[in-house]
């Protein structure tokens, strides 16, 4: 079968449910993007996170353009990326909720830039907003990394998301 046999027409409409299912076959880590504005901690669960550049050190995340949290992150002009460990699926679920106190029961501290960093996260990055680009119904946000934790959690594994389920590297065969 050649590539041309599988090409889709440019005007073909992709069913959103099928598109989501196809993307669910890409395993990703889970992060919580956080900031603080007027002594109010802000945060949301994000699996669309990746590195962009080593020099300068840049990372990126995508967020819905209609996000409640992102305008406050834009206002602060800074954010932290909390990379969750396999023991933190409950944190991911809590920060994915709307209209609830996402910070209830969450232990955290402020980074040097003034961003909330969640205790027991695998790692965190302290960033300033470098650029923002509209992309469909999302925004692509690029941050310049200004600080990070160097504590190595040797026994911790990353929290992964695959086919609509949480997992970790030890349980990868269970997906």
């Amino acid at each position: 079968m050649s590539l041309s046999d599988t090409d889709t027409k440019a005007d073909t409409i992709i069913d959103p449910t099928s598109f989501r299912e196809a993307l669910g076959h890409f395993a990703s880590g889970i992060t919580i993007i956080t900031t603080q504005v007027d002594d109010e901690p802000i945060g949301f669960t994000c699996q669309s996170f990746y590195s962009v550049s080593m020099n300068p050190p840049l990372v990126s995340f995508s967020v819905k353009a209609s996000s409640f949290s992102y305008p406050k992150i834009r206002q602060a002009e800074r954010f932290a990326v909390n990379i969750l460990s396999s023991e933190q699926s409950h944190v991911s679920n809590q920060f994915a909720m709307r209209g609830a106190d996402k910070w209830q029961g969450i232990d955290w501290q402020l980074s040097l830039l003034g961003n909330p960093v969640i205790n027991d996260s695998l790692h965190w990055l302290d960033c300033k907003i470098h650029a923002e680009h509209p992309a469909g119904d999302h925004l692509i946000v690029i941050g310049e990394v200004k600080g990070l934790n160097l504590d190595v959690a040797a026994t911790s594994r990353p929290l992964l998301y695959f086919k609509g389920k949480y997992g970790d590297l030890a349980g990868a065969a269970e997906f």
Side-chain angles (χ1 to χ4, degrees):
M1 177 184 307
S2 71
L3 183 59
S4 62
D5 293 338
T6 61
D7 283 346
T8 58
K9 294 181 182 178
D11 59 354
T12 300
I13 297 174
I14 303 295
D15 172 59
T17 304
S18 298
F19 185 53
R20 181 181 296 264
E21 182 179 336
L23 294 179
H25 286 79
F26 178 72
S28 64
I30 300 291
T31 66
I32 306 293
I33 306 297
T34 60
T35 197
Q36 182 166 284
V37 176
D38 300 327
D39 296 326
E40 177 190 7
I42 307 295
F44 66 92
T45 299
C46 181
Q47 75 181 83
S48 297
F49 166 77
Y50 53 94
S51 65
V52 174
S53 169
M54 295 299 286
N55 188 15
L58 300 175
V59 295
S60 182
F61 68 89
S62 296
V63 61
K64 285 184 182 178
S66 62
S67 166
F68 174 79
S69 301
Y70 184 67
K72 294 181 180 189
I73 293 170
R74 182 189 293 132
Q75 177 187 345
E77 299 179 348
R78 58 181 163 65
F79 61 91
V81 179
N82 297 269
I83 301 169
L84 298 187
S85 74
S86 61
E87 295 85 25
Q88 292 180 302
S89 60
H90 67 286
V91 176
S92 174
N93 287 333
Q94 190 163 322
F95 277 84
M97 294 187 308
R98 293 181 185 204
D101 180 4
K102 297 178 181 185
W103 294 91
Q104 183 177 4
I106 302 294
D107 293 326
W108 59 278
Q109 56 191 326
L110 286 177
S111 70
L112 290 177
L113 287 182
N115 296 310
V117 292
I118 298 171
N119 293 352
D120 300 324
S121 291
L122 195 58
H123 288 289
W124 55 264
L125 307 168
D126 216 9
C127 306
K128 289 198 173 211
I129 294 177
H130 178 77
E132 177 185 301
H133 304 283
D137 60 357
H138 277 63
L139 298 169
I140 298 170
V141 181
I142 299 173
E144 184 171 359
V145 179
K146 297 295 189 176
L148 49 87
N149 76 327
L150 296 175
D151 298 331
V152 177
T155 60
S156 293
R157 295 184 173 103
L159 180 61
L160 300 179
Y161 197 71
F162 181 65
K163 292 185 178 181
K165 297 178 186 176
Y166 292 116
D168 66 25
L169 294 175
E174 296 173 17
F175 283 119

